[in-house]
């Protein structure tokens, strides 16, 4: 049979990195083919070659059995290959519709735009996605999740025969993921071939037909998703067994309270939130996207103002109005949106790690001590397993997951008493995930108070000593961590709406 | 009833602000305040002849500001508009005075020269990946030099082309309605503004202006030929600069090859005062027009009040900083 797309012996080198070594991949019509591998394994690179963004250094590619070498996104689109990129790439100043149909705007004569047609066409696509959004919404004002949905709508608007999804669910909540999976099922039925990249293992079982595994740029195997246990896939990915077991929850009830928040309020986003974290404790924050968890963190960190409420660090009331003040008070915050807030992507790994802490690396004249920075950077690269040819590599060139590790390194260096991790493992592979879990547990054991915001329930349950659940800006409850709490209990609190219209249909 | 009355204008105002036009509203309000202030300070200020002088003084800077607005919205900058304007005027001089061709050809030559120069800058930026600041800085010097070389450093007069000075100084409107002798130069400014605003908001070219300024990589990954559009945008800006060249040459009835440097900064100032973001992706022609008007009113008003020229420059500088600061404060609040 002829494949929709077939790639053989694909080679790709970047300066200092042999990103793909004789990799093969094929795709049949109407299948979901998952592409798995650790951070930096080369998944995105392979897909960028398929979609004409990078040229390949060697190997062959066939579309419908015909040799094909798409030399740009447009050429790939003409072959019917569409891609949803891992990093959001939307035009924030434009509306949703203007983004979705960029390059194919309905036109009148003389290059005039047909704006009503543009909006109508986009509305249709949104409707097919069950996405309630005005096509005229400005993209920059939307949450990451909704921006991701706009990206998906954009990719679908090309009517692709091959659709590559590079971690499309990294920012979506469960309901949105379900919507996406419905769309995927529909596309499958229409004979579209889908390449699916994700670090969420459970999704693979749910939607993939076949799984191809890459490790360190090399092709490992292609297996049938239904017949292969996840543990086997994970083992193929990381080349060793990964233990996922959580350690016992330590008793921290007698430790000092490191951070206490009383009646924090800010508009509708945060309403009367009170909680405390003790030294050595990991407090998880669960809730649906938009429940106000990030907002709470940003207020504590001084990135957003509060309307009312009090914050105490080690029993002392503090008045934090800027992130700088927060850091002075010993509070660190790792943003969920690393591209915008967490990293200077055009600077090196070393510079980024040292960034928040340059004072440590200067001599009395204010001259930077590159040697010391180098040592520190290498230590963290080693500790976190950051995959980079050297600490002088630009962060922009690292794979998504490795960028996230750089952010973590940066904050670990600050030596904060209270660390707030907002979606710390978004886009991070299973192996690195368990490393990061171990790291957080280590930090807690050393006396750090840790807050983890995560939309992945298994993650919150795995990590937290206690679980705070938020819904619509309110803290709806705090549950014990570990086996004492079930997913259902958390979901119930996470959907405990204020109004009478509490409905189970929202839960999904 | 009485209690609800004050609420109504506030609501309208906040709606206008919410529409993202805040900076423009602010600029417009400043313009009105300036006008009122100056007319209280000096009875001569509000006279029709002075108002027309202000508009006339706005025309060249206004047209240049419109051209620069396009480039700035793409996230670029154009430092060459001042000397490009002069270069276009010189070429027109060559066509009309040296070669003795008919007026229409001179007009076409100016616009075409501008478009070609713009396309060249655009090519440097798009194809050779030279940062706009550098590419247009180079163009600025190249065109200044070429103007001097071609003209032999001497002004080219348009005495042989009688209709030429009418382009800027005649008044078609005045011929029809004698009580409003608005000069053609001003009329042209408003026509250019309307046409460009239409292009910017209603055409594909305009859409890519904003898209490029907002996230160029994203546009490229969407399969759009970004290079071509960028060159087109710079070319359009250049064509508009050609019109400015006609206006200034017509007003002076000569092409002055040494003129031009400094005009680009005035134009950029007008754009910034009008609320167009220097980081690209946001901006409007109306804003730039208001910005140019503010600068002209300020210069004129201070002159009417006999404030020394030097101080006018100082005030203009302060206004720029104030305008951008006001914009920054608003953004911070809305976040
Ligand atoms: N443009 C580039 N220049 C240099 N190196 C690059 C470039 N793009 C990717 N790399 C390197 O190639 C390797 C493969 O990266 P890739 O982005 O394909 O990984 P990935 O499997 O998608 O990982 P993740 O799961 O973290 O997204 C990495 O080591 C990365 O640092
Ligand atoms: Mg990737």
């Amino acid at each position: 049979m002829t494949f929709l797309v077939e790639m053989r012996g694909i080679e790709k080198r970047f300066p200092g990195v042999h990103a793909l070594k004789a990799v093969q991949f094929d795709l049949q019509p109407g299948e979901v083919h998952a592409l798995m591998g650790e951070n930096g394994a080369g998944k995105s690179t392979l897909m960028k070659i398929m979609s004409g963004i990078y040229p390949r250094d060697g190997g062959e590619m066939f579309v419908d059995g015909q040799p094909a070498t798409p030399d740009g996104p447009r050429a790939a689109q003409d072959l019917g290959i569409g891609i949803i990129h891992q990093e959001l790439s939307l035009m924030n100043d434009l509306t949703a519709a203007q983004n979705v149909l960029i390059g194919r705007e309905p036109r009148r004569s003389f290059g005039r735009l047909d704006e009503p047609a543009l909006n109508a066409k986009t509305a249709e696509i949104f409707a097919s996605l069950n996405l309630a959004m005005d096509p005229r919404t400005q993209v920059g004002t939307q949450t990451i999740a909704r921006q991701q949905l706009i990206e998906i709508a954009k990719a679908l608007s090309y009517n692709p025969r091959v659709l590559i999804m590079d971690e499309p669910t990294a920012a979506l909540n469960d309901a949105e993921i379900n919507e996406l999976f419905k769309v995927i099922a529909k596309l499958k039925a229409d004979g579209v071939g889908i390449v699916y990249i994700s670090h969420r293992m459970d999704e693979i079982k749910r939607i993939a037909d076949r799984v191809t595994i890459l490790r360190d740029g090399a092709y490992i195997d292609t297996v049938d998703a239904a017949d292969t246990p996840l543990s086997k896939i994970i083992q193929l990915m990381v080349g060793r067994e990964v233990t996922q077991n959580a350690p016992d929850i330590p008793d921290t009830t007698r430790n000092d309270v490191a951070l206490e928040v009383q009646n924090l309020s800010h508009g509708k986003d945060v309403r009367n939130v009170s909680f405390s974290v003790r030294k050595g404790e990991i407090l998880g924050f669960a809730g649906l996207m938009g429940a106000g968890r990030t907002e709470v963190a940003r207020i504590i960190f001084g990135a957003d103002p509060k309307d009312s409420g009090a914050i105490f660090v080690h029993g002392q009331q503090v008045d934090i109005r800027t992130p700088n003040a927060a850091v002075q008070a010993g509070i660190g915050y790792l943003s969920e949106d690393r591209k915008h807030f967490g990293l200077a992507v055009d600077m090196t790994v070393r510079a980024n790690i040292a960034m928040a802490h340059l004072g440590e690396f200067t001599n009395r004249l204010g001259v930077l001590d590159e040697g010391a920075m180098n040592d520190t950077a290498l230590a963290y690269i080693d500790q976190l397993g950051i995959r980079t040819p050297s600490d002088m590599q630009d962060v922009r060139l690292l794979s998504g997951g490795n960028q996230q590790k750089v952010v973590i390194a940066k904050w670990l260096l600050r030596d904060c008493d209270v660390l707030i991790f907002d979606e710390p493992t978004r886009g991070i592979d299973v192996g690195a995930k368990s490393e990061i879990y171990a790291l957080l547990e280590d930090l807690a054991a050393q006396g750090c108070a840790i807050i983890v915001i995560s939309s992945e329930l298994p993650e919150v349950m795995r990590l937290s000593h206690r679980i705070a659940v938020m819904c619509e800006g309110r803290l709806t409850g705090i549950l014990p961590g570990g086996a004492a709490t079930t997913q259902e209990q958390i979901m119930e609190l996470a959907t405990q709406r204020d109004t009478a219209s509490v409905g189970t249909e929202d839960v999904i | 009833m009485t209690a609800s009355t004050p609420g109504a204008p506030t609501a309208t105002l906040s709606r206008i602000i919410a529409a993202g036009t805040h900076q423009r509203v602010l600029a417009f309000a400043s313009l009105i305040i300036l006008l009122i202030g100056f007319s209280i300070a000096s009875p001569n200020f509000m006279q029709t002849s002075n108002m027309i002088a202000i508009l006339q003084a706005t025309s060249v800077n206004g047209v240049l500001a419109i051209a620069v607005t396009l480039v700035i919205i793409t996230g670029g900058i154009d430092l060459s508009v001042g000397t490009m304007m002069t270069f276009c005027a010189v070429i027109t001089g060559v066509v009309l005075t040296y070669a003795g061709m008919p007026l229409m050809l001179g007009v076409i030559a100016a616009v075409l020269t501008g478009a070609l120069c713009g396309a060249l800058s655009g090519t440097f930026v798009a194809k050779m990946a030279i940062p706009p600041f550098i590419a247009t800085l180079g163009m600025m010097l190249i065109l200044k030099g070429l103007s001097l070389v071609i003209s032999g450093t001497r002004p080219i007069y348009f005495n042989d082309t009688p209709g030429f000075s009418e382009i800027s100084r005649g008044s078609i409107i005045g011929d029809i309605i004698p009580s409003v002798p608005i000069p053609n130069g001003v009329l042209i400014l408003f026509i250019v503004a309307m046409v460009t605003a239409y292009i910017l908001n209603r055409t594909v070219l305009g859409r890519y202006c904003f898209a490029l300024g907002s996230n160029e990589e994203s546009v490229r990954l969407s399969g759009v030929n970004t290079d071509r559009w960028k060159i087109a945008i710079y070319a359009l800006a250049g064509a508009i600069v050609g019109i400015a060249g006609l206006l200034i040459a017509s007003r002076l009835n000569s092409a002055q090859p040494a003129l031009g440097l400094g005009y680009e900064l005035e134009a950029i100032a007008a754009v910034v005062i009008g609320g167009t973001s220097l980081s690209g992706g946001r901006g409007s022609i109306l804003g730039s027009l208001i910005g140019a008007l503010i600068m002209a009113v300020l210069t004129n008003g201070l002159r009417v009040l006999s404030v020394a020229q030097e101080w006018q420059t100082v005030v203009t500088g302060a206004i720029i900083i104030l305008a951008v600061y006001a914009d920054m404060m608003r953004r911070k609040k809305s976040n």
Side-chain angles (χ1 to χ4, degrees):
Chain A
M1 76 164 294
T2 53
F3 293 108
L4 210 45
V5 184
E6 186 177 4
M7 299 174 92
R8 283 203 299 246
I10 301 292
E11 289 283 333
K12 183 72 192 173
R13 284 171 198 276
F14 295 113
V17 184
H18 195 169
L20 294 174
K21 306 163 197 162
V23 170
Q24 65 189 68
F25 186 82
D26 54 57
L27 185 67
Q28 288 166 6
E31 78 162 340
V32 175
H33 192 155
L35 186 57
M36 308 285 294
E38 289 182 285
N39 297 128
K43 305 179 295 292
S44 298
T45 304
L46 184 66
M47 288 306 114
K48 282 180 180 166
I49 288 174
M50 191 192 276
S51 57
I53 293 159
Y54 291 156
R56 57 178 188 261
D57 297 341
E60 303 168 292
M61 173 169 160
F62 303 90
V63 176
D64 296 324
Q66 302 296 315
T69 308
D71 57 2
R74 183 35 79 72
Q77 282 160 17
D78 291 343
L79 288 168
I81 301 173
I83 180 165
I84 298 166
H85 289 282
Q86 179 172 10
E87 301 293 339
L88 286 173
S89 65
L90 292 170
M91 291 144 283
N92 284 344
D93 299 313
L94 267 50
T95 68
Q98 290 168 357
N99 266 283
V100 167
L101 292 176
I102 182 87
R104 295 150 301 139
E105 300 77 2
R107 300 178 190 194
R108 302 195 173 112
S109 52
F110 304 111
R112 286 176 304 146
L113 293 164
D114 187 351
E115 208 77 19
L118 179 84
N119 289 327
K121 233 171 133 177
T122 308
E124 259 173 51
I125 301 167
F126 284 173
S128 74
L129 273 170
N130 271 339
L131 170 58
M133 187 187 298
D134 186 340
R136 289 164 301 185
T137 334
Q138 203 200 321
V139 165
T141 61
Q142 300 296 296
T143 59
I144 300 185
R146 291 178 66 88
Q147 292 188 12
Q148 181 66 270
L149 293 168
I150 296 172
E151 285 265 24
I152 291 167
K154 179 175 160 190
L156 289 180
S157 71
Y158 289 95
N159 289 322
R161 292 186 306 138
V162 175
L163 183 57
I164 303 163
M165 300 185 161
D166 198 347
E167 299 194 35
T169 53
L172 302 189
N173 69 29
D174 289 345
E176 288 159 341
I177 290 174
N178 282 328
E179 252 351 295
L180 177 67
F181 283 3
K182 276 187 212 153
V183 174
I184 290 179
K186 201 159 80 193
L187 290 171
K188 258 178 85 160
D190 292 345
V192 176
I194 293 165
V195 185
Y196 193 87
I197 301 177
S198 175
H199 288 296
R200 295 189 171 187
M201 304 304 297
D202 52 320
E203 293 178 351
I204 302 309
K205 277 284 172 198
R206 278 176 68 190
I207 59 160
D209 299 307
R210 287 192 297 157
V211 183
T212 287
I213 295 123
L214 303 183
R215 192 198 309 151
D216 285 333
Y219 172 82
I220 301 297
D221 202 359
T222 301
V223 297
D224 203 274
D227 308 341
T228 318
L230 272 184
S231 57
K232 172 75 181 159
I233 295 177
I234 293 174
Q235 197 197 326
L236 290 172
M237 280 170 63
V238 298
R240 64 190 141 79
E241 298 247 14
V242 176
T243 50
Q244 288 274 36
N245 294 335
D248 291 337
I249 294 176
D251 178 17
T252 53
T253 47
R254 267 187 291 274
N255 292 2
D256 295 339
V257 172
L259 174 78
E260 179 164 10
V261 172
Q262 286 177 1
N263 303 325
L264 207 61
S265 289
H266 178 57
K268 275 192 215 141
D269 300 331
V270 176
R271 294 186 264 183
N272 227 1
V273 169
S274 305
F275 65 88
S276 63
V277 206
R278 292 177 186 278
K279 289 179 72 170
E281 186 183 31
I282 301 178
L283 177 66
F285 265 80
L288 301 178
M289 203 64 63
R293 296 165 302 164
T294 294
E295 204 40 45
V296 168
R298 287 178 59 89
I299 293 171
I300 295 174
F301 190 57
D304 283 331
K306 60 174 185 281
D307 296 340
S308 61
I311 297 168
F312 302 83
V313 176
H314 296 308
Q316 299 271 309
Q317 182 160 6
V318 287
D319 183 25
I320 293 169
R321 285 163 196 261
T322 63
N324 184 30
V327 171
Q328 299 298 332
I331 302 174
Y333 171 62
L334 283 81
S335 158
E336 59 179 335
D337 188 356
R338 58 174 174 261
K339 207 170 164 192
H340 281 117
F341 307 115
L343 286 171
V345 290
D346 290 327
M347 293 172 77
T348 62
V349 173
R350 179 196 293 179
N352 269 284
I353 291 179
M355 177 105 59
H357 221 54
L358 283 182
E360 286 288 290
F361 298 108
T362 48
N363 65 16
R364 257 170 296 146
L365 295 175
V367 179
L368 288 173
D369 180 353
E370 290 286 342
M373 274 161 61
N374 179 34
D375 292 345
T376 312
L378 289 181
Y380 281 105
I381 288 172
D382 188 47
Q383 185 188 348
L384 302 184
I386 301 174
R387 228 156 273 191
T388 170
S390 85
D391 64 333
M392 292 307 280
Q393 182 82 331
D394 280 357
V395 165
R396 170 173 47 92
L397 302 178
L398 298 191
S399 73
N402 281 304
Q403 292 188 4
Q404 180 72 329
K405 291 189 194 170
V406 173
V407 184
I408 295 182
K410 173 175 145 186
W411 281 102
L412 289 184
L413 184 57
R414 295 238 55 163
D415 227 358
C416 293
D417 300 335
V418 180
L419 275 174
I420 308 172
F421 291 84
D422 200 347
E423 306 287 357
T425 65
R426 174 177 293 165
I428 288 196
D429 68 59
V430 271
K433 233 179 208 172
S434 63
E435 284 165 30
I436 284 170
Y437 293 165
L439 212 92
L440 296 190
E441 272 145 11
D442 258 13
L443 283 170
Q446 287 163 30
C448 202
I450 292 180
I451 294 174
V452 177
I453 300 171
S454 172
S455 297
E456 284 184 59
L457 273 187
E459 175 163 298
V460 180
M461 297 170 68
R462 155 76 173 70
L463 268 176
S464 312
H465 300 167
R466 282 186 305 146
I467 303 169
V469 189
M470 285 187 70
C471 177
E472 294 180 336
R474 290 166 301 116
L475 191 70
T476 44
I478 297 186
L479 300 166
T485 299
T486 64
Q487 292 215 10
E488 287 67 34
Q489 284 173 296
I490 299 178
M491 283 319 290
E492 199 186 315
L493 287 176
T495 51
Q496 205 175 76
R497 308 253 136 112
D498 213 2
T499 49
S501 66
V502 182
T504 40
E505 75 273 19
D506 299 326
V507 182
I508 330 178
Chain B
M1 275 279 85
T2 38
S4 72
T5 344
T10 332
T12 330
L13 193 67
S14 65
R15 216 175 319 130
I16 292 171
I17 292 168
T21 55
H22 185 278
Q23 169 86 21
R24 240 178 301 157
V25 172
L26 205 78
F28 191 65
S30 325
L31 181 61
I32 302 293
I33 291 169
L34 278 178
L35 286 174
I36 294 172
F38 280 129
S39 51
I40 291 170
S42 160
N44 296 334
F45 181 77
M46 260 304 174
Q47 282 172 6
T48 319
S49 62
N50 193 45
M51 285 296 115
I52 287 177
I54 289 176
L55 287 172
Q56 181 73 293
T58 311
S59 61
V60 169
N61 187 30
V63 172
L64 286 181
I66 290 167
V68 179
T69 307
L70 292 176
V71 175
I72 287 181
I73 291 177
T74 68
I77 189 91
D78 196 339
L79 297 177
S80 66
V81 294
T83 60
M84 192 191 293
M85 168 182 83
T86 303
F87 184 68
C88 294
V90 168
I91 295 293
T92 308
V94 170
V95 169
L96 294 182
T97 303
Y98 288 5
M101 302 233 220
L103 178 61
M104 203 53 215
L105 280 183
V107 172
I108 293 172
V111 175
L112 215 61
T113 307
L116 285 176
C117 292
L120 197 60
S121 298
T123 308
F124 293 153
V125 172
K127 295 280 183 203
M128 294 161 65
I130 300 171
F133 188 94
I134 308 294
T136 58
L137 181 70
M139 277 303 270
M140 166 173 114
L141 296 173
I142 290 173
L143 293 174
K144 181 181 163 67
L146 283 180
S147 298
L148 291 168
V149 170
I150 292 173
S151 64
T153 70
R154 281 181 303 276
I156 308 173
Y157 291 93
F158 292 100
N159 295 333
D160 306 340
T161 318
F164 191 73
S165 66
E166 291 296 305
I167 292 177
S168 168
R169 293 194 284 194
S171 175
I172 292 178
I173 298 181
D175 291 348
I176 301 165
I177 321 164
S179 54
V180 264
I182 292 182
N184 291 340
V186 177
L187 185 64
I188 291 173
L189 167 66
F190 283 105
I191 292 173
V192 169
M194 281 190 308
V195 172
T196 317
Y198 185 84
I199 292 176
L200 199 53
N201 296 314
R202 292 291 158 80
T203 70
V204 181
L205 186 79
R207 175 61 40 79
Y208 290 146
C209 254
F210 286 105
L212 285 171
S214 190
N215 188 343
E216 186 174 337
E217 181 64 5
S218 159
V219 185
R220 201 177 63 79
L221 291 181
S222 305
V224 175
N225 187 339
T226 46
D227 290 356
R228 208 181 66 199
W229 287 106
K230 218 187 251 179
I231 293 171
I233 292 162
Y234 277 84
L236 175 61
I240 296 170
V241 172
I243 295 174
L246 282 172
L247 288 180
I248 194 151
S250 159
R251 202 158 86 202
L252 305 171
N253 200 30
S254 60
Q256 300 282 347
L259 203 77
L261 226 48
Y263 276 77
E264 67 285 335
L265 296 183
E266 299 241 332
I268 293 169
V271 174
V272 167
I273 291 173
T276 292
S277 155
L278 273 185
S279 48
R282 255 181 312 222
S284 76
I285 298 297
L286 179 60
S288 301
L289 204 56
I290 295 172
L293 275 170
I294 287 182
M295 291 180 66
V297 166
L298 211 64
T299 311
N300 178 287
L302 293 173
R303 193 185 309 133
V304 169
L305 296 181
S306 314
V307 175
Q309 173 101 46
E310 299 77 30
W311 280 109
Q312 297 172 19
T313 318
V314 174
V315 172
T316 311
I319 294 279
I320 293 172
I321 291 172
L322 264 178
V324 175
Y325 178 67
D327 193 32
M328 285 301 170
M329 289 314 290
R330 173 189 65 90
R331 291 236 186 98
K332 210 166 156 193
K333 256 198 206 121
S334 71
N335 274 344

